[in-house]
Amino acid sequence: MAAIAAALVYQSQNASSSSDALPPSSAPSLSSLAAPPLDAPRREPRGALGEANGAVPDGVTVFNDAIPAVANLDLDLLKALRKAATDAADDGVKFYVNSGWRSPEYQNQLLREAVSRYGSEEEAARWVATADTSPHVSGDAVDIGRSDATAWLSEHGAGHGLCQIYRNEPWHYELRPDAVDRGCPPMYADPTHDPRMQQ
């Protein structure tokens, strides 16, 4: 019984690997491209490229300066995130970072994995940008974990200049300072509709 239980735990841990802006949960099959629940366990692939290249260990918050994925974010974005996280904490909500800054090498690895997972470059582009176009590589994007945090940001993020950019990625936020006064701009359906991704 112990061996069977250990095998099941091992399988469930390995089945929960994910990548890039892919839904933070276990990988969907190629025939099912709908995003899984946001509260599912999130694990980025560690592979040959680890934390120094942007992989994020479990439990990282926007206050973890020792983690390059957080420390290498744009300073204005990080400041806005930390202010929002402090305000959210008053409501009992904690911001976990599923992904932040990434090296170009790590972004390329995530893109290769997405092509393998989704079966084509076209479908992978709905979830993962190239290293040349990804706002994660420039430190201008963060993926926030847990549905209570994304729900909080959906309601209060604009007041901090933090906006959800893609309708299919409720965890992906970028800094839009004008949102404080004007509200967030309309979302793109997915990254393939974002002119920045067309370079």
Side-chain angles (χ1 to χ4, degrees):
M1 286 301 260
I4 291 172
L8 289 174
V9 168
Y10 176 80
Q11 272 186 325
S12 70
Q13 287 174 340
N14 287 336
S16 64
S17 292
S18 67
S19 63
D20 193 29
L22 297 176
S25 64
S26 58
S29 67
L30 291 178
S31 62
S32 170
L33 299 177
L38 291 175
D39 283 334
R42 167 83 158 131
R43 298 190 200 292
E44 286 196 332
R46 301 302 197 294
L49 300 174
E51 286 179 27
N53 284 287
V56 180
D58 293 334
V60 169
T61 72
V62 298
F63 298 102
N64 290 112
D65 286 328
I67 304 298
V70 174
N72 292 335
L73 286 172
D74 171 81
L75 292 179
D76 291 330
L77 172 59
L78 190 55
K79 181 179 174 183
L81 281 167
R82 288 177 172 173
K83 174 69 171 98
T86 299
D87 291 351
D90 292 340
D91 295 329
V93 176
K94 193 169 188 176
F95 287 10
Y96 291 95
V97 176
N98 287 338
S99 193
W101 167 86
R102 303 178 191 133
S103 71
E105 296 80 14
Y106 189 47
Q107 186 69 29
N108 286 332
Q109 174 185 324
L110 296 175
L111 182 56
R112 285 190 302 273
E113 291 171 0
V115 170
S116 176
R117 174 179 294 168
Y118 289 108
S120 72
E121 290 180 11
E122 294 76 24
E123 190 59 36
R126 293 186 58 231
W127 302 103
V128 185
T130 66
D132 292 335
T133 61
S134 175
H136 285 281
V137 172
S138 62
D140 294 320
V142 64
D143 294 345
I144 296 294
R146 307 224 176 130
S147 61
D148 61 341
T150 57
W152 192 95
L153 279 170
S154 178
E155 186 175 344
H156 305 286
H160 296 276
L162 298 169
C163 295
Q164 179 184 338
I165 303 302
Y166 306 118
R167 205 168 9 264
N168 72 328
E169 296 182 10
W171 52 85
H172 180 100
Y173 278 80
E174 297 179 25
L175 183 64
R176 298 290 184 268
D178 291 345
V180 173
D181 297 319
R182 299 182 194 157
C184 290
M187 285 181 255
Y188 298 109
D190 62 51
T192 63
H193 294 90
D194 185 343
R196 299 175 301 170
M197 302 301 133
Q198 308 310 314
Q199 297 177 353

